[in-house]
């Protein structure tokens, strides 16, 4: 049985993963929500004004009342700002499984930050919540996301062909990765 604890603070060497606060809206807007390159492979389009970001963050904050809701702001200790987000979706109580999704500001790409955050969330979900299988998917046109998954200890499983339609109306393929409780050492 899964033991839900909700979005708890997780600390790594460089990061604090924590619940969003309304004051984070400005950093989210500045660091990634307006960037078309960051949003290129996301399900949502870049935000056009701060009020849009504030509404999204407020909705997330209101959902923290549920103990099976997992959505972390990624704060970089060095600058004291949130630079991205990582969250759990498609949580399956019966099969002790879930999916993880993430995004991070472009100026923080290629520094191992997202791999560090993802690894911390994998460990939290498996050791503290009781997840047996955690999976992640990325558009095959975004191989950098696959490298994040690999560096975090996830294993490549294959390609799901034309499984989704993007915001422009085109079918696209997803690469599937997973990590199992038995994979943790």
């Amino acid at each position: 049985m899964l033991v839900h604890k909700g979005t708890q603070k997780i600390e790594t060497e460089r990061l604090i993963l924590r619940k969003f606060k309304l004051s984070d809206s400005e950093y989210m807007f500045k660091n990634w929500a307006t960037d078309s390159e960051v949003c290129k492979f996301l399900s949502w389009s870049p935000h056009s004004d701060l009020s849009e970001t504030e509404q999204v963050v407020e909705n997330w904050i209101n959902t923290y009342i549920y103990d099976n809701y997992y959505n972390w702001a990624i704060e970089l200790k060095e600058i004291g700002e949130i630079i991205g987000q990582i969250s759990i979706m498609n949580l399956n109580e019966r099969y002790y499984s879930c999916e993880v999704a993430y995004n991070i500001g472009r100026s923080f790409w290629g520094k191992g930050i997202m791999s560090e955050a993802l690894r911390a969330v994998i460990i939290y979900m498996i050791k503290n919540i009781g997840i047996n299988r955690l999976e992640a998917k990325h558009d095959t046109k975004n191989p950098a996301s696959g490298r994040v998954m690999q560096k975090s200890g996830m294993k490549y499983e294959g390609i799901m062909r034309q499984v989704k339609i993007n915001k422009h109306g085109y079918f696209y393929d997803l690469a599937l990765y997973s990590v199992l409780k038995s994979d943790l050492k």
Side-chain angles (χ1 to χ4, degrees):
M1 186 165 143
L2 296 178
V3 181
H4 291 295
K5 298 177 181 182
T7 306
Q8 299 292 319
K9 181 177 168 184
I10 303 170
E11 200 161 337
T12 69
E13 185 180 334
R14 298 181 290 173
L15 309 171
I16 297 171
L17 307 182
R18 58 165 176 79
K19 291 180 179 179
F20 278 88
K21 303 178 284 197
L22 197 52
S23 59
D24 291 327
S25 302
E26 289 181 43
Y27 291 124
M28 179 177 168
F29 188 77
K30 176 183 103 171
N31 288 331
W32 81 88
T34 58
D35 190 328
S36 59
E37 275 303 299
V38 172
C39 298
K40 187 176 183 179
F41 297 107
L42 301 179
S43 59
W44 47 273
S45 297
H47 294 180
S48 53
D49 61 65
L50 181 58
S51 64
E52 188 177 356
T53 307
E54 288 171 338
Q55 183 61 53
V56 168
V57 170
E58 189 175 340
N59 289 340
W60 291 338
I61 291 167
N62 292 337
T63 312
Y64 285 132
I65 62 168
Y66 301 104
D67 66 354
N68 66 346
Y69 180 65
Y70 301 94
N71 183 19
W72 291 271
I74 302 170
E75 180 180 322
L76 185 59
K77 290 178 185 177
E78 182 182 325
I79 61 173
E81 295 179 14
I82 65 161
I83 59 167
Q85 170 201 19
I86 187 164
S87 61
I88 298 297
M89 320 177 311
N90 303 324
L91 202 132
N92 186 310
E93 299 279 341
R94 183 174 181 189
Y95 299 116
Y96 298 8
S97 65
C98 64
E99 186 174 345
V100 64
Y102 50 79
N103 52 72
I104 191 170
R106 190 181 348 173
S107 59
F108 306 99
W109 289 358
K111 298 177 179 173
I113 293 169
M114 189 51 76
S115 298
E116 185 176 326
L118 178 55
R119 183 72 181 160
V121 167
I122 288 168
I123 291 167
Y124 175 81
M125 293 304 293
I126 290 174
K127 293 194 172 185
N128 295 302
I129 309 306
I131 289 292
N132 181 62
R133 176 188 166 86
L134 191 138
E135 62 183 42
K137 301 171 188 140
H138 72 84
D139 187 315
T140 54
K141 293 184 178 121
N142 184 13
S145 190
R147 287 191 294 278
V148 166
M149 294 169 196
Q150 290 169 352
K151 288 178 187 174
S152 302
M154 301 185 92
K155 293 184 166 79
Y156 175 73
E157 291 192 352
I159 302 292
M160 302 168 72
R161 300 180 313 138
Q162 295 189 8
V163 69
K164 294 260 183 157
I165 297 177
N166 66 19
K167 55 192 163 210
H168 308 292
Y170 298 104
F171 283 101
Y172 64 98
D173 299 342
L174 288 176
L176 174 63
Y177 290 78
S178 73
V179 63
L180 303 176
K181 182 178 186 175
S182 60
D183 294 331
L184 285 191
K185 304 199 170 26

